Every structure is written in structure tokens, then in C-alpha cells.
Amino acid sequence: MLLLLLTGVYFLSREAARVTMVETGKPRVVVIDAGHGGEDPGKVGVNQALEKDINLAIARLVEEKLRDENVTVVMTREADQQLGQADGGSQKAADMRERCRIINESGAACAVSIHQNSYTEPFASGAQVFYYETSAEAQSFAAIMQRKLAEALDQDNHRECKGNTTYYVLKKTSIPIIIVECGFLSNPGEADLLLTSDYQERVAQAVCEGILEYLDSDKV
């Protein structure tokens, strides 16, 4: 398949996405976005873990699992970096614009942005999924993912997927996209778990299964 290189990030061309659709009957192309990176660490855990590192580790595992299922994966970043060119403005804003550009030009069926959560009190825990609240497709995707995460990680997690209208990556993208907050770095136990390879593997497997179920649904 044709891959283009721009600003150090590989992304799938529209032509390659069309070929995938023809071969499989459905657009088996997915964007995996590892949040933050470079000088933007994201949340800092109570154990000093950096969100950006956990996000990328989980995103890479999801990528590997999806490729094993013959899904074409577009990664917004594959290294510890911020994207885009600030050109005298905010690097964070440039990074977010570049992520959205990659997602919008990918030709993908859906996108998942991997993040970690935080709260002012240490008791908060559990994975939660966010979607753009006016998108019925994204809501369906989010509900599937929320269920998969609870089944795999904590069946006592009764959080529900939540609509949002303010997150930039949800507002500025044109395909069904969800944000997966894998856990709370403000919770000592969960923060430690999120650093272990075993737990990252479990999270990635749940995310992969959620994506596959959505791709196989009648929503795509």
C-alpha cells in the first residue's frame, strides 16, 4: 500500500484506503492516536509516571494486535514527539491540528485516541470512553468500547461512555472517533498497574476487541 511521509509521521493515503475497502468490503482502516508527546507529558501520575509514555506503549500494542487481524493502522505518532509546526504560535495547538489532519485524511472507518485520566482525589478509578455527543456512530462505538474495557479490566467499573462537545480532537474530526481514558494516574493502585506490561496488554486487547466489534457492526 502507498504510504506517505510527512513531518516524521506515516499516514495512509486516500487511495490506499479505497483499495482496502475494495478488498475487504468494509473500510478496515483505523487511526490510533497516542495522546501528548515530546514536551507535552500529559498527566503526571502520583508515581511520577508520564501519561505520554503509557499512551504510546498501549497504542503500539493496539497497532500490533490490529495488524494481526488484517486491519490497516494509521498511527498519528510512533515516537516521543509533538506533531506539526508551531510557526510562532502554540506548539500544543499545532500538534492538535496535525493530529486532526492525519485523522481526517486517513480514509479510516474510525479513530481511537489513547489517554490516561486524573482527578483531584485519589479514589477515582476505572476506564472511561468519550465521544462527540452529536455523533450517533461515535456513541455506538463508545458504548462497545466501554463494555469491552469493563469486561477486561474491572467488572465493578460501572462508568458509562460520555458525550462531550469541547474536546478539540472530537470536534475537529470527520469520522467516528472516541477518546479512551484507560485509567486514573491520580489513583495509586491504578497508576502502578498502568506501568506494568501485563496490564497494558490487557488494556490493548480490550481496545482491539472493541474496534473489531465496531468494524464488524452495521454502523460502519
Side-chain angles (χ1 to χ4, degrees):
M1 287 188 177
L2 177 62
L3 290 176
L4 303 181
L5 178 61
L6 186 63
T7 63
V9 179
Y10 286 100
F11 67 97
L12 189 73
S13 72
R14 290 182 183 274
E15 179 61 29
R18 284 194 293 270
V19 170
T20 300
M21 291 177 66
V22 169
E23 290 175 347
T24 65
K26 287 187 177 182
R28 307 270 295 182
V29 182
V30 174
V31 179
I32 302 298
D33 172 48
H36 307 284
E39 295 183 2
D40 173 16
K43 303 293 192 302
V44 178
V46 292
N47 55 359
Q48 301 307 303
L50 300 183
E51 179 186 358
K52 65 174 185 176
D53 297 333
I54 298 172
N55 294 346
L56 185 58
I58 293 172
R60 283 173 168 164
L61 289 170
V62 174
E63 176 192 22
E64 179 181 338
K65 292 176 182 298
L66 288 174
R67 291 192 189 282
D68 287 344
E69 297 291 337
N70 297 316
V71 175
T72 300
V73 181
V74 180
M75 299 285 284
T76 57
R77 73 177 176 99
E78 298 186 84
D80 182 15
Q81 64 183 127
Q82 284 185 285
L83 309 180
Q85 300 296 323
D87 296 326
S90 165
Q91 179 57 54
K92 176 64 175 178
D95 175 84
M96 294 305 297
R97 287 194 299 270
E98 181 64 8
R99 290 172 192 270
C100 291
R101 185 197 67 76
I102 292 169
I103 293 167
N104 287 331
E105 295 183 4
S106 67
C110 61
V112 176
S113 187
I114 304 292
H115 286 266
Q116 312 304 316
N117 218 334
S118 184
Y119 190 60
T120 54
E121 300 293 336
F123 63 81
S125 66
Q128 188 165 27
V129 183
F130 292 84
Y131 64 93
Y132 196 57
E133 69 176 30
T134 62
S135 171
E137 294 87 354
Q139 183 177 11
S140 296
F141 186 18
I144 291 170
M145 189 64 72
Q146 186 70 53
R147 172 171 50 81
K148 286 293 185 181
L149 288 163
E151 289 173 353
L153 304 178
D154 180 8
Q155 295 189 16
D156 291 327
N157 176 7
H158 300 299
R159 293 181 180 276
E160 297 182 354
C161 59
K162 188 173 182 179
N164 179 279
T165 59
T166 61
Y167 293 152
Y168 187 91
V169 73
L170 299 182
K171 292 193 300 180
K172 299 296 184 180
T173 47
S174 57
I175 62 174
I177 179 172
I178 59 175
I179 294 175
V180 175
E181 300 277 3
C182 304
F184 281 79
L185 291 178
S186 51
N187 179 291
E190 204 157 69
D192 286 344
L193 275 176
L194 286 162
L195 280 179
T196 67
S197 58
D198 177 68
Y199 198 74
Q200 289 175 2
E201 178 77 20
R202 288 169 61 192
V203 172
Q205 182 63 36
V207 172
C208 177
E209 290 179 7
I211 292 169
L212 292 173
E213 183 170 327
Y214 176 72
L215 289 178
D216 290 337
S217 73
D218 58 5
K219 301 298 181 182
V220 178

